[in-house]
Amino acid sequence: MSQNSSALNSVFMAHLSNAEGKEKLAAVTQTYVRDKLRENSFARKVIPPQQVTRADLQVSVNHDTMVYIDEIEPNSRAMSMTFRGQPTARYIRASRYEIPFFTVSSERFEKTEQELMAYKMAITKVIEDNSVKDIQEIEDHRFLVYVEAACQATGQIVKGEQAQDDEDENGANTGFRGTLQRNDLVLLFQELDGSRRRLAQVLINESDWDSILTWNIEDLGDSEQGAMFRKGLTGDSIMGRKFIRTIKTDILQSGNIYGFCDPEWLGKFLVLNNTKFYIDKEANLIWWQAWEDIGMSIVNVASCAKLELYNDASDDLIGEDEVGTQVFHQLDDGILFPAVSSY
């Protein structure tokens, strides 16, 4: 495996020596980046992305970029009347909105040709880990910023049973953290189901999803509990609703669970052309960068709701500059086992 990876790195550097090789590398990695982004981003699972081109956009009168202009369906009603009656006349009008675009970019990664040859890992692995996943995390962070703002604007926020009981007994903002109960999901569903909408999707992190393992026979039924004990939680549906799970607990913090209507009642996720990738070599320095231009909007703010499992002020999202900065290994501090010392 290490020989194959080293060979790939050698081919990679050889292609960078001429213009034709650069174009081929950019074309291949561009396709790879685009496919991985669709697969990994939870925002794209809630609102599937729509490809747009320059022809679909308008120039903004407020700034030096382009926007996507769309309409939202007008309201309508019917009425009963006698044979001699006439319906009420109403001049029809549909509201319009615009979605601005912005760029999400990886860092500019640099490596000298000599140091690259020392790596046993293929350069495409570096591109996947350091470019694709960074871009998708910013997508998801920006999506949650919009969703949280929508929930705060509508007030469609409910507390879990344990958190509410703690608030009733001990007052607000005690810092109590509860676990997900079955009735908590019912409360979340009712936030949208009770107003001529239907909650169809739930966004939850793996830590809160694991709380379901504590549910008993009364919650699951005898056969379901036995199957869960043997195989764990399988599938992505509970109570007829789709659950979208994520391991990004730094972005979607534990205790925060969001519910959404189907995408057509929620908003839009637009991608301008395809994800771009550029790589070049200056003397012995190789550098590369990936970026995309996207537009994202929660158009119908009444189509999302939030469940909080804690008795505290709403958790603030981490800043964008903090996304992806957490490192779990302690190798830089010399902590590994067994440790080997050189004399």
Side-chain angles (χ1 to χ4, degrees), residues 215-238:
W215 292 5
N216 55 33
I217 292 178
E218 294 180 356
D219 297 316
L220 299 170
D222 188 19
S223 61
E224 287 294 329
Q225 189 183 46
M228 188 175 70
F229 179 79
R230 293 189 302 271
K231 301 178 181 179
L233 289 169
T234 59
D236 60 356
S237 177
I238 294 180

Side-chain angles (χ1 to χ4, degrees), residues 67 80 82 175:
V67 297
S80 62
T82 66

Side-chain angles (χ1 to χ4, degrees), residues 93-108:
R93 177 183 177 275
S95 299
R96 294 186 178 91
Y97 62 92
E98 66 177 40
I99 301 176
F101 282 77
F102 58 95
T103 299
V104 182
S105 175
S106 70
E107 295 177 302
R108 172 170 160 160

Side-chain angles (χ1 to χ4, degrees), residues 25-234:
L25 281 173
V28 171
T29 50
Q30 177 176 322
T31 301
Y32 183 74
V33 170
R34 186 175 66 246
D35 288 342
K36 284 293 183 178
L37 275 170
R38 288 198 304 269
E39 184 180 17
N40 293 335
S41 170
F42 64 69
R44 293 179 177 230
K45 295 177 182 179
V46 178
I47 306 179
Q50 173 186 343
Q51 290 281 341
V52 296
T53 64
R54 172 64 183 85
D56 300 314
L57 308 182
Q58 304 289 331
V59 177
S60 174
V61 298
N62 300 315
H63 46 77
D64 292 335
T65 56
M66 294 171 292
V67 297
Y68 181 88
I69 297 178
D70 202 2
E71 297 94 14
I72 191 167
E73 65 177 7
N75 195 24
S76 60
R77 58 181 291 268
M79 62 195 71
S80 62
M81 64 187 73
T82 66
F83 289 163
R84 295 182 180 182
Q86 293 292 327
T88 302
R90 181 163 68 92
Y91 192 81
I92 197 70
R93 177 183 177 275
S95 299
R96 294 186 178 91
Y97 62 92
E98 66 177 40
I99 301 176
F101 282 77
F102 58 95
T103 299
V104 182
S105 175
S106 70
E107 295 177 302
R108 172 170 160 160
F109 298 102
E110 299 179 348
K111 202 68 178 171
T112 63
E113 181 178 349
Q114 292 85 348
E115 290 179 346
L116 182 61
M117 289 189 294
Y119 279 83
K120 298 178 180 180
M121 176 175 58
I123 193 66
T124 52
K125 175 68 174 175
V126 178
I127 293 171
E128 177 187 359
D129 290 348
N130 296 305
S131 299
V132 180
K133 294 181 180 179
D134 292 345
I135 290 175
Q136 71 172 9
E137 288 179 355
I138 297 301
E139 278 185 5
D140 293 338
H141 179 270
R142 180 57 52 182
F143 172 73
L144 284 188
V145 168
Y146 297 157
V147 170
E148 178 65 25
C151 292
Q152 295 293 338
T154 60
Q156 293 179 163
I157 302 174
V158 295
K159 282 193 178 295
E161 282 190 339
Q162 293 180 348
Q164 189 62 59
D165 289 344
D166 182 79
E167 181 176 333
D168 294 341
E169 182 176 348
N170 302 312
N173 301 329
T174 63
F176 173 83
R177 297 273 162 168
T179 58
L180 180 63
Q181 307 298 308
R182 175 173 174 169
N183 287 343
D184 296 343
L185 293 178
V186 176
L187 293 173
L188 178 63
F189 297 164
Q190 290 175 337
E191 275 296 300
L192 299 184
D193 292 353
S195 54
R196 300 192 67 170
R197 286 158 290 154
R198 184 180 188 275
L199 189 147
Q201 310 175 83
V202 176
L203 179 62
I204 184 172
N205 71 27
E206 288 287 354
S207 177
D208 289 328
W209 175 262
D210 289 343
S211 297
I212 300 175
L213 294 171
T214 65
W215 292 5
N216 55 33
I217 292 178
E218 294 180 356
D219 297 316
L220 299 170
D222 188 19
S223 61
E224 287 294 329
Q225 189 183 46
M228 188 175 70
F229 179 79
R230 293 189 302 271
K231 301 178 181 179
L233 289 169
T234 59

